[in-house]
Amino acid sequence: MKTTSVLSRKPSLIEIVIFVTLFVLSVIMISPFLWMLSIGFERTANLQPPFPPSFFPKQPSIFNYELVLENATLFKSYLNSGFVAICAVCLSVASSLLAGYAFSKGQFYGKKVLFLVVLGTMMIPMETRLIPLFSMFNKFGLINTYVPLIAPAILYGFGILLSKQYFDQLPDSLREAAQIDGSSEKRTFFQIYLPLTGPITATLAILSFLDSWNAFLWPLVVINDHALRTIPLFLASFSFENGTRLGGLTMALATASILPIVVVFLFLQKYIIRSIALSGLKGE
C-alpha cells in the first residue's frame, strides 16, 4: 500500500522545476561530446567542419575511425597511458589505504599535525609544484622516463582523506579483538580491515585512473620523447599540427582518447556514490 501511494503521488512544482533544471543542465554538459562524436562520423569534416554545428552528420561515414584504428602512434600512446595509469592506480590506492588506516586507527605522536599537512597538499596547485618537482626528477636523471609520471601518485591527499573517513566508520572493536588474540598490526590491516574496503578501493581506483589518464600539464613538462607520449600529449600535438584542417579525424581521435574513462566511469560510478556515503564526508 505504501509503495502504491508513493508511485501514485503527483510530483510537486518544486520537484518538476528541479527535474527540468537538471535535464537542461545535463543537455548543455553533454552537447559538446555529442557534437564531437557527430563530427567524427562526418565524411567531409576533414575538408571543412560543418557550420552551423549539427548533431547529425550529413554524410555519415566511419572513414575517420578507420584511420584512427590504423594509427600506430595512437596505439603506442594508448599503451603508454595505460601503463602509467595502472601503475599510478596501484601506488595511490595502496598508499591511500595504508595512510588512511594509520590516521584512523593508529596512535602516534603528531598524528593530527601530519594529517593537516596531508590535507594541505590538496590546496597547493600543481602549477606551483612544477619547478621543484621537475628539478628533483631532473637531478636524478629521470626526465623522459615513466617514473615522474607515476611517482607523484604515491601522495594522494584526497585519497588519504577518503580512506581515513571510511576507516573511521569501521568499528575499533575489530582491531581490539585482533590485538587480544595476538595479531600484529600488519595482519590486522591485511586480514581484517582490508577485505572490508571494497567500495573505497574501487572509488580510489576510478579517481586515480581518471587523474592519470587525463593528466596533461605535468607530462608535457617531463616528457619530450615522442615514444613516451601519453594520449593527451598525442592529441594535443596532432591538433596543433593539423588544426581544423583535419577536423573529422581530430574529433575521432578525441573520441577514442576519452572512450576508456567513459566506459570505466559508467560501469563503476555506483562505487563512488556508495563509498562517499559510507565515508561520512558530510560530517558527523
Side-chain angles (χ1 to χ4, degrees):
M1 295 295 293
K2 183 179 296 185
T3 304
T4 305
S5 62
V6 171
L7 295 176
S8 61
R9 183 180 66 86
K10 293 183 179 180
S12 64
L13 179 60
I14 296 179
E15 292 174 337
I16 294 176
V17 172
I18 293 176
F19 175 80
V20 173
T21 303
L22 293 177
F23 178 77
V24 172
L25 292 176
S26 64
V27 171
I28 295 175
M29 294 293 292
I30 200 174
S31 57
F33 297 97
L34 296 178
W35 184 59
M36 176 183 67
L37 188 64
S38 174
I39 294 182
F41 282 106
E42 181 63 60
R43 181 66 175 84
T44 61
N46 290 327
L47 301 176
Q48 179 63 42
F51 187 84
S54 174
F55 294 106
F56 302 98
K58 297 179 181 179
Q59 299 182 21
S61 174
I62 61 173
F63 173 75
N64 293 320
Y65 291 95
E66 290 177 347
L67 293 179
V68 168
L69 294 177
E70 296 173 358
N71 194 314
T73 307
L74 176 65
F75 182 71
K76 176 63 176 176
S77 299
Y78 254 99
L79 293 180
N80 292 336
S81 289
F83 175 75
V84 170
I86 291 174
C87 293
V89 166
C90 294
L91 280 178
S92 63
V93 170
S95 62
S96 296
L97 290 177
L98 289 170
Y101 175 79
F103 283 123
S104 176
K105 306 301 181 183
Q107 299 295 331
F108 54 91
Y109 179 76
K111 183 176 75 170
K112 293 184 178 180
V113 175
L114 185 58
F115 184 64
L116 290 177
V117 172
V118 172
L119 294 182
T121 62
M122 299 169 55
M123 307 176 190
I124 304 175
M126 182 61 189
E127 291 78 6
T128 62
R129 292 179 286 166
L130 283 178
I131 295 178
L133 281 175
F134 179 85
S135 300
M136 180 183 67
F137 285 111
N138 186 48
K139 182 178 181 180
F140 289 102
L142 297 175
I143 300 300
N144 275 325
T145 65
Y146 291 119
V147 176
L149 301 180
I150 299 172
I154 295 177
L155 181 58
Y156 186 25
F158 184 66
I160 295 175
L161 172 63
L162 278 181
S163 298
K164 179 188 178 301
Q165 295 296 99
Y166 187 88
F167 280 115
D168 284 344
Q169 306 305 311
L170 300 180
D172 294 336
S173 57
L174 295 175
R175 180 169 176 266
E176 296 170 356
Q179 290 177 336
I180 293 175
D181 291 339
S183 175
S184 63
E185 199 69 60
K186 177 181 177 181
R187 185 179 180 183
T188 301
F189 172 76
F190 283 102
Q191 295 188 6
I192 298 178
Y193 281 96
L194 188 60
L196 303 176
T197 60
I200 192 64
T201 299
T203 300
L204 293 174
I206 295 170
L207 296 179
S208 179
F209 180 83
L210 294 177
D211 289 343
S212 178
W213 188 274
N214 290 327
F216 174 73
L217 182 59
W218 177 239
L220 180 65
V221 173
V222 297
I223 297 297
N224 297 319
D225 188 353
H226 287 188
L228 298 177
R229 287 188 304 183
T230 57
I231 283 291
L233 294 184
F234 170 78
L235 184 59
S237 176
F238 183 88
S239 302
F240 177 77
E241 294 172 359
N242 297 279
T244 59
R245 183 169 59 87
L246 297 175
L249 183 57
T250 302
M251 291 302 180
L253 288 171
T255 302
S257 68
I258 68 172
L259 188 60
I261 58 178
V262 171
V263 172
V264 169
F265 184 78
L266 289 178
F267 278 95
L268 301 179
Q269 61 176 328
K270 62 179 180 180
Y271 291 105
I272 298 179
I273 300 174
R274 181 182 176 187
S275 64
I276 291 178
L278 293 175
S279 63
L281 283 181
K282 293 183 179 180
E284 299 180 357

